[in-house]
Amino acid sequence: MSDNIEIKNKIKERFKALYGYDSCRAFFAPGRVNLIGEHTDYNGGHVFPCALTLGTYAVVAKRNDRKLRFHSMNFESLGVIESSLDDLVFNESAAWTNYPKGIMWAFKEKGFDIPSGLDIVYYGNIPNGSGLSSSASIEVLTGFILRALYGFDVSNIDLALIGQFSENKFNGMNCGIMDQFASAMGKKDHAIFLDTNTLEYTYVPIELQGIKIVIANTNVKHTLTSSKYNDRRRESEAALNELKKCCNISSYGDMDEDMFNLYSKNISNDINRRRAKHAVYENLRTISAVKALNSKDLNTFGRLMKESHISLDKDYEVTCKELNILAETEWAQEGVIGARMTGGGFGGCTVALVYEDCIENLIAKTGPIYYEKTGIKPDFYIVDIGDGPYEF
Ligand code: GLA
């Protein structure tokens, strides 16, 4: 919390310098890391993410007119970006403000009238481009602010759905619900076991005595990420449509291994069949992983993390050379229970469960090997699981 007060003071100072007054309120929404269940959230499967204590902060005040003034301390050089509640359209030149603008647009679309404009300063401590959901945290944060300031009758799950809706329809990224759900519904020291088909969820305590979550950043983000992501959605949907013709399922979440083995021959295209295989097996792996964790079987959890990575590499093809080198190097280190890519892929981060007394060694060994093979220095973050959005 003392960190929070320091951050709040820093943002308030910036707010006053930019806008000339200082009566404002401060809010936070977290980023997320997904432990297992990747590329299953738009395939009707399960995911197992948790909110981080890292995320996006904002200080904000209502205006008396319809103007919107945005500033991000992460993009100082862009200065104050202005818009208006009467001009909520996607615009390349609006840069990162397309995320908060998208949320305001989405509230309007859902029938909520935003009565006045805002002055806002954002600041995020999620590393840029790391795949730890900085955009979902801005979306959930902005929705949370609108609810707090204008009293809109929406739940935190609604905030997640509005975030996904705006990302899909305003920002053109066809993401699933996982990131926004993890940010809006996060709970300290718990991961969220979410069935994306029904939005039923349970909180699973992550009591990892002597074990920490270590995130390693490849520090690469390959181009065309969102178009490749949208391609994967199309490929798995095409395969699902073929499966639906021969068996009674509504999503991959309805299939087990036996069914897949029986019916997968009906998928005419080999690539799409591999996409479908990942969707089915990754969902089953996620269910098994949560069972294993509940019975304190960490070895099984770790093995499933590794299998998840391999499937994302070979069948879903969303890893990249750098993610593979990082994960493979981590697998070989002492005290690593499991490691895998996390998030959308094509760069970004791996997540690993590591015995605390082995973390120093992991970083000391993995960093140089990764650098030698890629010419890039990775970053490591030892993270804590935090709460969903709050005012502070
Ligand atoms: C991105 C998307 C999520 C999810 C993951 C992959 O983070 O925003 O909805 O599909 O990729 O699991």
Side-chain angles (χ1 to χ4, degrees), residues 32 37-39 41-42 175-179 229 343-344:
R32 66 94 189 92
E38 216 66 81
H39 287 275
D41 65 345
Y42 52 85
C175 65
I177 189 63
M178 172 172 73
D179 304 349
Y229 181 96

Side-chain angles (χ1 to χ4, degrees), residues 127-170:
N128 275 348
S130 58
L132 301 175
S133 291
S134 55
S135 47
S137 74
I138 296 177
E139 289 158 4
V140 168
L141 177 63
T142 306
F144 191 84
I145 288 171
L146 295 178
R147 180 175 77 186
L149 263 49
Y150 301 114
F152 296 138
D153 183 17
V154 286
S155 66
N156 277 29
I157 294 185
D158 294 331
L159 293 181
L161 290 165
I162 289 171
Q164 183 198 16
F165 176 73
S166 87
E167 184 139 351
N168 291 172
K169 305 287 179 211
F170 194 87

Side-chain angles (χ1 to χ4, degrees), residues 190-242:
H190 289 74
I192 310 171
F193 182 42
L194 170 69
D195 180 346
T196 61
N197 224 352
T198 58
L199 292 192
E200 275 168 34
Y201 65 97
T202 48
Y203 288 115
V204 179
I206 305 287
E207 295 163 300
L208 300 169
Q209 271 153 15
I211 294 162
K212 283 279 192 189
I213 299 173
V214 179
I215 294 174
N217 194 343
T218 59
N219 284 326
V220 295
K221 187 162 173 55
H222 291 288
T223 49
L224 298 178
T225 298
S226 73
S227 72
K228 283 185 191 153
Y229 181 96
N230 291 344
D231 286 349
R232 293 298 175 277
R233 280 202 75 147
R234 252 195 313 279
E235 290 156 358
S236 43
E237 263 162 37
L240 181 66
N241 286 336
E242 288 184 294

